[in-house]
Amino acid sequence: MAKIISGKEVSAKVREQVKTECDELKSKGINPGLAVIIVGDDPASRVYVNNKKKACADVGFVSEEYALPAETTQEQLLALVEELNNKPDINGILCQLPLPGHLDETAVINAISPLKDVDAFHPSNVGKIMIGDYDFLPCTPAGVMEMIHNEGIEVNGKNCVVIGRSNIVGKPMAMLLLHENGTVTICHSRTKNLKEICARADILVAAVGKPKFVTADMVKEGAVVLDVGINRDENGKLCGDVDFESVEPKASYITPVPGGVGPMTIAMLMKNTLKAAKIQNGII
Ligand code: NAD
């Protein structure tokens, strides 16, 4: 039987800490602010943006929503980013992805000031993560690390396997485990012997985007299993990349979906926004 790591509980702790520090900033006249840009009317993006705005209100941040129509041009979007880059009461800027197909996501990410890039997607912040000298960590991998730390799980010297090599999850996840002295293997769609590699992992992170992809035969007895995936199963029910029912009895720790890594991502966004406000006000 694994211990189930509750993302709801760990994220609540993080948000509580952010709220306390936000109150301290407010007492010094600093009101942290996050701008959220959403283009078009993708329903999933709308849910994510609403959740982010609610999280801001809960910790005491100001949040500004910029909802642009789907037909917004690249020039209009870049002009808004530039305006927000120069807006002193906005500390963090987030552009909800994916953008409608005619817009260039990379150009938008590159246009956000690295100092306000609370998603940590800008190449300058990505490079800093590689070196290990960073201001912001990408929210989802940082959330996974927060769960690991909260349980007191040691990464040092452990075999860590990350399935998935995306720029927003897999690659930075591997880097964060490496920074803590894990021996890290990154697996992807071309990996051979995936099952054998995963079955050697002391710490296994799944960021594939395929429902119940990780089965019990891919998991070592006593492994720590962290499930980043957010998918729908054959009945339309929310599920992760890990086949929870078969894997849970073998693992020592496991994160559920929903209620696992998902809530951590928004909590870490709040943490990054707080840090941005501190940096921009010369507090750190
Ligand atoms: P992505 O599609 O960009 O990357 C998926 C990765 O999985 C790729 O690197 C690919 O090589 C690998 N992959 C695909 N098929 C594979 C196979 N058969 N064997 C091994 N590797 C394979 O996805 P992403 O953006 O990294 O997201 C991954 C999952 O995490 C999705 O379900 C997504 O919804 C979820 N996600 C959750 C959060 C959160 O807050 N919890 C945040 C971001 C993404």
Side-chain angles (χ1 to χ4, degrees):
M1 281 286 275
K3 172 164 186 205
I4 295 167
I5 309 177
S6 165
K8 283 187 194 155
E9 282 173 30
V10 185
S11 67
K13 262 196 200 178
V14 173
R15 281 187 279 112
E16 198 51 48
Q17 179 64 31
V18 171
K19 188 177 184 317
T20 304
E21 292 188 43
C22 178
D23 288 344
E24 283 169 24
L25 287 185
K26 283 180 167 173
S27 71
K28 297 184 174 116
I30 300 163
N31 291 301
L34 176 69
V36 183
I37 304 171
I38 175 168
V39 186
D41 50 12
D42 176 57
S45 292
R46 171 44 63 198
V47 171
Y48 288 131
V49 165
N50 288 349
N51 289 344
K52 287 167 188 177
K53 280 166 51 186
K54 183 177 180 306
C56 281
D58 288 348
V59 298
F61 294 169
V62 174
S63 73
E64 290 182 1
E65 178 184 305
Y66 295 84
L68 306 181
E71 56 277 10
T72 299
T73 65
Q74 183 76 13
E75 290 68 31
Q76 287 168 327
L77 182 53
L78 291 177
L80 172 61
V81 169
E82 191 53 26
E83 184 190 321
L84 295 171
N85 280 342
N86 295 318
K87 203 169 179 204
D89 51 348
I90 286 299
N91 305 112
I93 304 170
L94 181 153
C95 184
Q96 187 65 44
L97 302 179
L99 291 171
H102 66 284
L103 296 171
D104 178 352
E105 287 184 359
T106 307
V108 175
I109 289 169
N110 291 355
I112 294 174
S113 161
L115 290 173
K116 296 190 177 184
D117 170 39
V118 285
D119 265 335
F121 291 165
H122 190 283
S124 149
N125 287 324
V126 173
K128 285 179 162 192
I129 292 158
M130 191 77 149
I131 297 162
D133 176 19
Y134 44 76
D135 294 321
F136 308 120
L137 289 176
C139 301
T140 302
V144 172
M145 294 311 293
E146 188 75 28
M147 292 174 118
I148 289 176
H149 295 153
N150 188 65
E151 297 299 330
I153 296 164
E154 187 71 52
V155 176
N156 196 343
K158 297 279 173 63
N159 278 333
C160 304
V161 173
V162 179
I163 322 175
R165 59 172 164 184
S166 70
N167 287 333
I168 62 165
V169 189
K171 280 187 211 163
M173 187 70 247
M175 203 49 63
L176 300 193
L177 291 164
L178 181 62
H179 286 325
E180 298 200 9
N181 304 315
T183 302
V184 184
T185 306
I186 306 176
C187 297
H188 47 79
S189 53
R190 307 285 178 91
T191 297
K192 296 194 166 68
N193 305 325
L194 181 71
K195 191 163 107 179
E196 287 75 13
I197 297 168
C198 291
R200 288 200 295 267
D202 302 307
I203 298 175
L204 180 63
V205 183
V208 194
K210 292 193 159 66
K212 305 181 186 179
F213 180 82
V214 176
T215 45
D217 56 340
M218 296 166 75
V219 177
K220 180 174 160 177
E221 198 71 49
V224 175
V225 181
L226 301 135
D227 190 352
V228 178
I230 302 177
N231 314 296
R232 297 268 169 197
D233 69 10
E234 61 281 7
N235 302 315
K237 209 173 143 225
L238 216 54
C239 73
D241 288 344
V242 175
D243 179 27
F244 188 89
E245 269 180 31
S246 73
V247 170
E248 185 270 331
K250 264 186 120 173
S252 57
Y253 293 87
I254 191 166
T255 62
V257 178
V261 176
M264 294 305 299
T265 300
I266 292 187
M268 302 318 278
L269 175 70
M270 298 299 107
K271 203 168 167 176
N272 279 349
T273 305
L274 180 83
K275 193 165 186 190
K278 286 184 180 174
I279 293 171
Q280 286 159 42
N281 285 283
I283 290 176
I284 49 171

